[in-house]
Structure formats: structure tokens, C-alpha cells
């Protein structure tokens, strides 16, 4: 553990790993901009402006920024839910144009299917793949075990707490065995204790599964605790403003929260971001 | 202080069981429904028996029951009831096909809805009764006229429920399904339909109720069978008991249809917040 490591911040324009071969870049965000035309007010909102980012396979990225800086917009363009106004995003060299099971999303409001049991929710993506029933059930059961929901297979979302719902949603997103997991403030609606538990859980799961993760949050400690690289965004217009490389080893464990590097990085980030975030409110 | 509180609590605890016993006897909605209906008919019977109302203007429930019994025995009740039910079924089916399809299309494509909805909203306020003259002109006096009037009454509630349901679909849920690789068919059957049933089914129930009212209206004027025709014919023969017997049948059948659909709704939408108490 490199306790003497100073927070490594880079200018946005400079690529994170300058000589990274294109082969290991999994997601290449090239100069992406997004403008929303508001019909009601006749005012265009520039949600994203010239965002560039290269993400390597297996990397855990935290997208950190105050609300309204375009994190969700960027994530949904990566997911393929909407298209960029300018620029493009490549996945393994091919432009992303629509949603695909190689990029699954975990939402802040869970977005579970309320009419399906946990088991059926997790099986959804497997059914879409056309897997036979028995195989589907087996994979889903083991994923439900992975997220510590064994015994709740036949429960409906409304019968579970927020934390349990999010565990189910994570299992559902992992089911199609995606290359990339996209998470939009997944723990934002949970109470503090549940949030900490799930942070450790996602740290474990993402390391075990070896997935590329893009994790959107406005929690500084959460961003630093989970990520290999924290991408700091600033609002109006949404831009990448800073990057912080996190030298802590993976999997991340609870005691790293008291690591001096962790503590000072979180504090420094807060000090630099405070003026901007106060403006936002 | 604590002792005082305890002393205060004691009587309440002992009184509780007696309250729940009384509550249990009236527990369950079917029980309360039965009590309400019985009371209604009992008061009605009392009012007529005490001659507070002229028996010719309002026959007593017992007299109506007798009339119903006679109609059932000579078979005419079943003929008329069957005719009405068949008409409402056909008209309602048409209304469902058109209302669901149009609601789905307008809910999904905003541009289409911008063109279609003003037309629908302009047709909707015209009561089925006002359609009767032109309906007879178009379809004559027969089943087709009744089908058309039931259709007119039922299609708007079906459309509005479907449109509202599709408009209210959760964007994130749809996106979740898409990113999990759902094909259009799976999106439709596993997400879109179950997600919208909590709004569509109550709409269908209301539509069936309206359709039931419309079929009787149609039969009053434009048919030779059915409960509406029975009422009209009995009126001309001054068989006031049969008039009210027809009305009571309409009421009870409508009530039963609504109750059955509500049961189905409860089962299908058990997961939805509105169905939990
Ligand atoms: N569908 C939309 N239509 C218009 N404006 C939008 C829409 N979605 C987001 N915005 C605007 O874009 C900006 C970025 O939003 P968002 O991506 O949700 O930010 P974040 O997730 O960081 O809070 C905000 O100013 C927001 O109001
Ligand atoms: Mg957001």
C-alpha cells in the first residue's frame, strides 16, 4: 500500500495512460457532447461538452460530480439508451448505437420488474439470450447466492428492503455476463449502513467477476473507495475536470477506509470540489 | 408515573377482545356487501308494506321477486338476459380490440397521439343516447345497432386506460429490459403488458359497466329482445312489476360482472402498490 502517494491529478485533455495500446482500450469516449433542446423554455441545455475518456478492460471507473453535471447523461449514452449530439463512443473499436447485453445497467431506483419474483428478474436477461429453463434457473440461483439473497428467490420486489432490491438488481445485471457494468448512483437511495455494506459487496463482486465497471456517484469517499480511477466532472457544461488514480490494491476492504492515503485524498478532493458544489445548490 | 400509566392501560387491554369479536362478525368485504344489500331491500320492503309509497308506483321487493320467478319459469327472462349478454360481449370485444390498439399506438408514438387524440376527445362527450338515431339509420333495428352502441360506450374508457398506462410506463424499466437484451416480443409480453395491467384492467371494468348500460339503452329503442326491450314492452302493458324486475336484473348482473372483474384484477395485479392495503 502506497501511503505516501499524493493524489495524482491529471488534466482532462491528457490521456490517462498515454501509451496505452488501443487493444486494451475497451471503451473509447471521443469528444462526446450532448445538448438537450427544452421545448418548454426554448433553451438548450448543454449536458455534456467535449468529454473524452478511455477505459481499459477490467478497470473500475468512478464518475464523480455534483448533480446536474451530466453523469447520468454520459452513462445512458454509453448504455446506448440515447445518442450523443456530437462525438462518439466506441466499444472494442465499434461505435455504440443501441443497448446491448454486453453493457448492463444498475439504476438508482432499482428498476426491478415488480410483477416478477427475484428469481424471474435475474433470469430475464438469460431468457433474452434464449438459454434453456433449467440452465437459466441454475445461473440465476448462483448469482442470487453471490449477492447474498439466497432464500429470497420467490419474493417480489415490494416485499424487500431497498438494499435487498439493489442486490437483486445487481444480480440481474450480472446475469447476461456483460463485459461492462454501468451503475448510476446505485446506492444513492439507501441508508448509510446499507450503503457501506453494498460498497464492500460491489468491490468484492467486481474484482471476482473481473468486469469493467463505470460507477456514477456524487459521494467522494464512495468514488475513491471503489475505483481504480476517479473521473471528476464539473457542471454547466458537463466536462471532465480531473482524474485521480487510486493506488490501493483490490479487492478493496473495509480497513482501507482508514488508510492515510484514502483519508487525505478524500479530504483534498472535498476541499477542491467544495466551492463548485456549493454553487450547484 | 409508570404505575399510573399501567393502570390506565389495563382496561383498554381487557376491552379489546370484545371489540375484535364484534368486528370479526362483520369482517370481510363480502359480508359487509351482503349486509348493505339486505338492509337496502329490507327498507324498500318496509316502505312499500307500510303503504308509504303506492304499490303501483313502486312494487315491493317481494312482488318483484315473484315477477322475476314467473319470468324465469316461462323462460322469457333467460331469453332476454341471454340476448343482452351476447350483445354486450360482442360490443365490448370490439371496443377492447380498437381501444387497446389505438391506446397502445397513441401511448407509444407521441406524434400519432397529437393527431388522433383531438378527434377522440371530440367524439367522447357525445352520449350514446345521442348516437341512437344515426345508429338506427346505419344499422336498422337489430343486433348490429346494439353492438355499435355498446362499442361506442366502452371504447373510450378502454382507450384512455391503455393510453394512460403506456404513457406512464417507467422509462428505466424499459431501458433495463433493453440493456438486458430483450427482443421486441419479450419487451411486449414480459414488460409492457404486465406493467400496464394495473391501469388497463380497471379501465376494462369501467368500460364493461358502461357497455352494459349502453346495451339496455339500445334495447329500449332499437331491439326486439333483451332486458331493455323487456322493460319497454312491460311498460306498455302496464306490468310495472316486470319493469322493475328488469331493472333489478340489470343492476344485479352489472354488479356481478364488476365484482368478478375486480377479483381477477386483484389476482393479476397483486404485486402493484394500488392493490396492497
Ligand atoms: N431528458 C432531458 N431533457 C432535458 N434536459 C435534461 C434531460 N436529462 C438531463 N437533462 C439536463 O442535463 C443536465 C445533466 O443531467 P444529468 O445527466 O441527469 O446529471 P447528473 O446525473 O450528473 O445529475 C441537467 O442540467 C439536466 O437538467
Ligand atoms: Mg443522475
Amino acid at each position: 500500500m502506497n501511503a505516501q502517494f499524493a493524489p495524482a491529478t491529471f488534466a482532462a485533455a491528457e490521456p490517462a495512460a498515454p501509451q496505452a495500446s488501443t487493444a486494451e482500450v475497451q471503451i473509447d469516449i471521443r469528444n462526446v457532447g450532448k445538448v438537450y433542446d427544452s421545448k418548454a423554455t426554448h433553451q438548450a441545455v448543454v449536458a455534456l461538452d467535449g468529454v473524452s475518456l478511455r477505459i481499459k478492460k477490467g478497470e473500475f471507473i468512478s464518475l464523480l460530480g455534483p448533480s446536474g453535471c451530466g453523469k447520468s447523461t454520459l452513462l445512458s449514452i454509453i448504455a446506448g439508451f440515447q445518442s450523443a449530439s456530437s462525438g462518439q463512443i466506441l466499444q472494442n473499436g465499434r461505435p455504440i448505437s443501441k443497448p446491448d447485453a454486453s453493457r448492463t445497467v444498475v439504476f438508482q431506483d432499482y428498476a426491478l420488474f415488480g410483477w416478477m419474483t427475484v428469481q424471474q428478474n435475474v433470469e430475464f436477461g438469460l431468457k433474452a439470450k434464449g438459454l434453456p429453463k433449467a440452465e437459466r434457473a441454475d445461473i440465476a440461483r448462483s448469482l442470487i447466492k453471490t449477492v447474498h439473497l439466497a432464500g429470497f428467490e420467490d419474493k417480489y420486489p415490494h416485499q424487500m428492503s431497498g438494499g435487498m432490491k439493489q442486490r437483486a438488481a445487481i444480480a440481474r445485471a450480472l446475469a447476461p455476463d456483460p463485459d461492462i457494468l454501468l451503475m448510476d448512483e446505485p446506492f444513492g437511495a439507501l441508508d448509510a449502513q446499507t450503503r457501506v455494506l453494498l460498497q464492500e459487496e460491489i468491490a468484492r463482486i467486481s474484482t471476482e467477476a473481473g468486469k469493467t465497471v463505470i460507477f456514477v456517484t456524487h459521494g467522494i469517499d464512495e468514488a475513491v473507495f471503489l475505483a481504480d480511477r476517479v473521473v471528476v466532472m464539473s457542471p454547466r457544461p458537463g466536462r471532465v475536470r480531473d482524474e485521480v488514480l487510486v493506488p490501493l490494491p483490490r479487492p478493496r476492504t473495509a480497513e482501507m477506509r482508514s488508510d492515510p492515503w484514502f483519508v487525505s485524498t478524500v479530504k483534498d478532493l472535498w476541499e477542491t470540489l467544495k466551492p463548485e458544489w456549493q454553487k450547484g445548490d | 408515573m409508570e404505575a399510573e400509566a399501567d393502570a390506565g392501560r389495563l382496561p383498554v387491554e381487557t376491552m379489546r377482545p370484545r371489540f375484535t369479536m364484534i368486528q370479526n362478525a362483520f369482517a370481510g368485504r363480502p359480508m359487509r356487501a351482503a349486509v348493505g344489500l339486505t338492509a337496502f331491500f329490507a327498507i324498500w320492503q318496509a316502505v312499500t308494506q307500510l303503504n308509504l309509497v303506492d304499490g303501483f308506483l313502486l312494487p315491493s321487493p317481494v312482488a318483484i321477486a315473484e315477477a322475476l320467478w314467473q319470468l324465469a319459469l316461462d323462460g322469457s327472462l333467460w331469453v332476454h338476459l341471454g340476448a343482452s349478454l351476447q350483445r354486450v360481449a360482442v360490443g365490448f370485444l370490439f371496443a377492447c380490440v380498437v381501444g387497446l390498439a389505438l391506446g397502445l399506438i397513441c401511448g407509444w408514438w407521441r406524434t400519432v397521439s397529437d393527431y388522433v387524440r383531438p378527434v377522440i376527445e371530440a367524439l367522447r362527450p357525445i352520449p350514446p343516447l345521442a348516437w341512437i338515431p344515426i345508429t338506427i339509420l346505419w344499422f336498422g333495428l337489430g343486433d348490429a345497432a346494439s353492438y355499435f352502441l355498446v362499442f361506442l360506450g366502452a371504447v373510450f374508457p378502454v382507450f384512455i386506460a391503455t393510453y394512460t398506462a403506456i404513457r406512464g410506463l417507467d422509462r428505466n424499466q424499459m431501458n433495463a429490459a433493453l440493456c438486458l437484451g430483450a427482443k421486441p416480443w419479450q419487451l411486449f409480453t414480459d414488460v409492457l403488458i404486465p406493467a400496464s395491467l394495473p391501469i388497463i384492467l380497471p379501465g376494462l371494468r369501467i368500460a364493461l359497466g358502461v357497455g352494459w348500460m349502453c346495451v339496455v339503452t339500445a334495447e329500449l329503442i332499437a331491439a326486439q329482445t333483451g332486458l331493455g326491450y323487456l322493460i319497454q314492452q312491460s311498460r306498455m302493458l302496464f306490468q310495472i312489476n316486470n319493469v322493475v324486475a328488469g331493472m333489478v336484473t340489470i343492476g344485479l348482473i352489472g354488479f356481478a360482472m364488476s365484482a368478478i372483474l375486480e377479483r381477477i384484477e386483484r389476482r393479476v395485479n397483486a404485486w402493484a402498490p394500488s392493490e396492497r392495503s
Side-chain angles (χ1 to χ4, degrees), chain A residues 165-184:
Chain A
K165 282 184 216 174
Q166 201 53 292
R167 287 170 190 272
I170 291 168
R172 181 180 70 173
L174 288 171
D177 196 22
D179 299 330
I180 301 145
L181 197 58
L182 306 170
M183 308 180 87
D184 193 354

Side-chain angles (χ1 to χ4, degrees), chain B residues 119-190:
Chain B
V119 179
I120 289 176
E121 290 303 322
L123 287 174
R124 197 159 68 95
I126 305 172
L129 209 55
W131 280 93
I132 285 185
I134 202 158
T135 304
I136 293 174
L137 185 68
W138 288 351
F139 298 100
L141 297 176
D143 284 348
S146 300
Y147 298 156
F148 183 64
L149 284 170
V150 172
F151 168 82
L152 277 175
V155 72
F156 298 110
V158 175
F159 168 81
I160 288 170
T162 312
Y163 174 80
T164 312
I166 301 298
R167 260 300 145 80
L169 286 175
D170 182 357
R171 203 58 259 168
N172 278 350
Q173 244 168 23
M174 304 296 282
N175 280 341
L178 285 173
C179 78
L180 291 166
K183 306 284 176 296
W185 183 246
Q186 193 188 5
L187 194 69
F188 187 71
T189 57
D190 289 5

Side-chain angles (χ1 to χ4, degrees), chain A residues 66-73 108 184-185 216 218:
Chain A
S67 67
C69 72
K71 306 182 297 292
S72 295
T73 302
Q108 174 171 356
D184 193 354
E185 306 202 27
V216 165
H218 61 242

Side-chain angles (χ1 to χ4, degrees), chain B residues 18 57 81 92 180-181 203 205 231:
Chain B
R18 231 181 297 161
L57 294 182
L81 179 59
F92 180 65
L180 291 166
R205 176 161 48 86
I231 292 174

Side-chain angles (χ1 to χ4, degrees), chain B residues 9-261:
Chain B
R9 200 181 304 144
L10 212 70
V12 181
E13 299 262 337
T14 46
M15 275 175 70
R16 242 237 175 77
R18 231 181 297 161
F19 271 123
T20 39
M21 242 156 58
I22 296 165
Q23 276 174 343
N24 277 344
F26 291 90
R29 305 218 348 255
M31 184 65 196
R32 279 182 229 147
V35 170
L37 282 171
T38 311
F40 173 73
F41 283 113
I43 292 168
W44 181 355
Q45 182 69 34
V47 165
T48 47
Q49 203 143 11
L50 298 173
N51 277 325
L52 297 178
V53 181
D54 186 341
F56 183 74
L57 294 182
L58 181 66
S60 73
V62 172
I64 293 162
E66 262 167 41
L68 266 179
W69 181 245
Q70 283 308 318
L71 287 171
L73 279 187
D74 71 22
S76 54
L77 178 66
W78 310 118
V79 172
H80 292 305
L81 179 59
S84 295
L85 284 175
Q86 183 257 339
R87 285 175 188 140
V88 80
V90 173
F92 180 65
L93 210 68
F94 274 111
C96 282
V97 171
V98 174
L100 285 169
L102 220 51
L104 207 72
I105 291 168
C106 288
W108 197 257
W109 289 286
R110 185 166 283 245
T111 341
V112 179
S113 130
D114 288 346
Y115 289 110
V116 175
R117 255 169 51 90
V119 179
I120 289 176
E121 290 303 322
L123 287 174
R124 197 159 68 95
I126 305 172
L129 209 55
W131 280 93
I132 285 185
I134 202 158
T135 304
I136 293 174
L137 185 68
W138 288 351
F139 298 100
L141 297 176
D143 284 348
S146 300
Y147 298 156
F148 183 64
L149 284 170
V150 172
F151 168 82
L152 277 175
V155 72
F156 298 110
V158 175
F159 168 81
I160 288 170
T162 312
Y163 174 80
T164 312
I166 301 298
R167 260 300 145 80
L169 286 175
D170 182 357
R171 203 58 259 168
N172 278 350
Q173 244 168 23
M174 304 296 282
N175 280 341
L178 285 173
C179 78
L180 291 166
K183 306 284 176 296
W185 183 246
Q186 193 188 5
L187 194 69
F188 187 71
T189 57
D190 289 5
V191 181
L192 198 137
I193 288 181
S196 46
L197 281 184
I199 294 176
I200 291 183
L201 284 185
L204 293 189
R205 176 161 48 86
I206 290 165
L208 186 58
V210 176
W212 185 237
M213 289 198 275
C214 287
V215 80
V216 176
T217 310
E219 289 164 351
L220 282 172
I221 298 159
Q224 303 300 318
T225 49
L227 291 171
Y229 176 75
L230 170 70
I231 292 174
Q232 186 69 339
Q233 192 197 32
S234 306
R235 184 188 69 92
M236 294 202 279
L237 301 173
F238 294 101
Q239 293 169 332
I240 189 69
N241 288 6
N242 284 0
V243 169
V244 184
M247 291 170 66
V248 167
T249 311
I250 292 162
L252 291 179
I253 296 294
F255 176 74
M257 289 195 298
S258 174
I260 291 167
L261 284 191

